[in-house]
Amino acid sequence: MIAPIVRFAPSPTGLLHVGNIRAALFNWLFTKRHGGTFILRLDDTDRSRSKSEFEVAIERDLLWLGLDWARKERQSDRIGHYDAAREALIATGRLYPCYETPQELDFRRKRLLAQGRPPVYDRAALKLSDADRTRLESEGRRPYWRFKLASEEVRWDDLVRGPQHIDEASQSDPVLVRDDGTYLYSFTSVVDDIAFGITHVIRGEDHVTNSGAQIQMFQALGANAPVFAHLPLLVDATGGGLSKRAGSLAVADLRERGIEALTVCALLARLGTADPVEPVAALDTLVETIDFARVGRAAARFSEEELAQLNARTLHILPYEAVRARLAQDPGEAFWLAVRGNLVTLADAAGWADVVRGPIEPAIEDATFLTDAATKLPPEPWDDTTWKAFTSTLGRKGRALFHPLRLALTARETGPEMAKLLPLIGRAKAEARLRGQRA
Ligand code: GLU
């Protein structure tokens, strides 16, 4: 395959959430797999809703996820290119001015529906003469512009959905330019995809319906359409869209709740695919397995419980180097290997660091037994074998042996293997705790 060029094109009108970063992730994984280029394009032509703080947040969230880009473009910087493409379409008769008000269009739509006919735009504006247009403009009307669809069936081979066809004869000519001269996304997107040499458009299924008209726009502007891959949308456990809860499923929110970036990527890369959801210790693992043919057609069910569980499973396999910079006071690899299997979020590690470093207040269940145990602690140096050697001298078995020891040494009911914790706690603190002293 020639090196693909792809883009992730969010509008900076809100925060990234699990729904829209799925497209970002697939774009990124695909370029890594095939040695391509990932472009971040900010679709910010809607000036009233686009905000620079959202642009900053989008970049921060993508970088946190590990999804870096080779090039960044803002549509608001490219208006001249859209103007030129608009003129080219007008010159070939593919873009035509219309003057209906929204109320007039609404009235016509309702009348067609009442007659049991599809509410397709009737192209009345195409029949206007120059004189009609001059009169309408003198009445203060300003034109908006529609793309004249060729009435044909548009076909493409979608990498996810397989062969697709849309009969454009049954569609309304899409509006590309509003009456205030601003452009609609479906048009600016095509102009940019041509300009940047985009080879693959990887995006959410909500854009399938745009694709037929967009393919015609590529052709009308003298270009070949890219390959399309439309990913099924994510739904919640009840099958409903995630958009209502997008706020709570914002990337920033997941990060604050202690979800690892790798967890988010691992879940979104595999959800709704033929491959099981598994924790990964690096994005590279996901790169190797990305394959659109393995993405199912059905909506993928996203569940926060699954995310939380996968987060724990991710932490359980992360090597020390992957987390070291985020752990306070560099607690050492042995500490990490001892506690990682008991974490739900990385922040839980701090609690275990307190147990290892102390001081903690031991919980005493059986003082006589524990004081006796304190006298039987072997001399240091200690290692993974010390715990077994120590506990085999105490004359008890099972819970009666382990439970009071764990409570005294860690002040917790459950936790990491004591064989690994004991050497980290060390003899002095272990002895003091067994004697009921804060240490
Ligand atoms: N700005 C569009 C969106 O956020 C981009 C869609 C596309 O990838 O073509 O939905």
Side-chain angles (χ1 to χ4, degrees), residues 241-292:
L242 287 182
S243 51
K244 284 181 273 49
R245 285 165 51 237
S248 70
L249 295 177
V251 176
D253 190 69
L254 300 178
R255 180 172 54 231
E256 269 154 40
R257 282 168 20 207
I259 303 293
E260 298 291 306
L262 274 175
T263 311
V264 179
C265 292
L267 185 64
L268 293 180
R270 293 283 173 77
L271 214 55
T273 74
D275 299 305
V277 172
E278 298 281 7
V280 296
L283 276 180
D284 286 349
T285 313
L286 299 172
V287 171
E288 287 155 23
T289 57
I290 167 139
D291 181 359
F292 290 109

Side-chain angles (χ1 to χ4, degrees), residues 186-210:
S186 57
F187 173 59
T188 52
S189 183
V190 167
V191 175
D192 289 344
D193 288 345
I194 295 172
F196 305 153
I198 299 299
T199 59
H200 295 75
V201 168
I202 303 163
R203 60 185 178 184
E205 206 175 64
D206 46 336
H207 289 290
V208 170
T209 47
N210 290 329

Side-chain angles (χ1 to χ4, degrees), residues 317-349:
I317 62 165
L318 285 184
Y320 186 50
E321 285 313 315
V323 293
R324 182 181 194 156
R326 291 190 290 142
L327 292 173
Q329 300 175 39
D330 203 343
E333 185 170 22
F335 167 81
W336 175 248
L337 296 180
V339 307
R340 66 179 182 178
N342 286 77
L343 308 180
V344 175
T345 69
L346 190 68
D348 300 339

Side-chain angles (χ1 to χ4, degrees), residues 73-148:
E73 296 285 346
R74 262 191 222 100
Q75 289 201 320
S76 57
D77 294 336
R78 300 182 37 78
I79 304 299
H81 297 271
Y82 311 138
D83 293 345
R86 176 195 63 203
E87 291 312 309
L89 290 182
I90 292 173
T92 54
R94 293 301 294 274
L95 195 68
Y96 61 95
C98 305
Y99 295 87
E100 296 90 348
T101 62
Q103 293 76 15
E104 285 164 349
L105 289 173
D106 195 45
F107 176 76
R108 283 192 213 166
R109 204 178 301 122
K110 288 194 176 129
R111 195 176 53 195
L112 286 169
L113 284 170
Q115 293 165 357
R117 293 161 63 193
V120 175
Y121 178 64
D122 60 9
R123 292 184 165 169
L126 271 181
K127 298 178 195 95
L128 296 173
S129 65
D130 285 347
D132 293 331
R133 282 193 281 269
T134 312
R135 177 179 50 76
L136 285 162
E137 286 183 30
S138 72
E139 286 169 9
R141 295 211 192 194
R142 283 158 61 184
Y144 68 95
W145 299 76
R146 286 187 192 259
F147 179 66
K148 192 174 167 206

Side-chain angles (χ1 to χ4, degrees), residues 7 9-11 41 43 185 189 201 203 207:
R7 81 298 192 281
S11 297
R41 187 183 84 202
D43 285 2
Y185 139 79
S189 183
V201 168
R203 60 185 178 184
H207 289 290

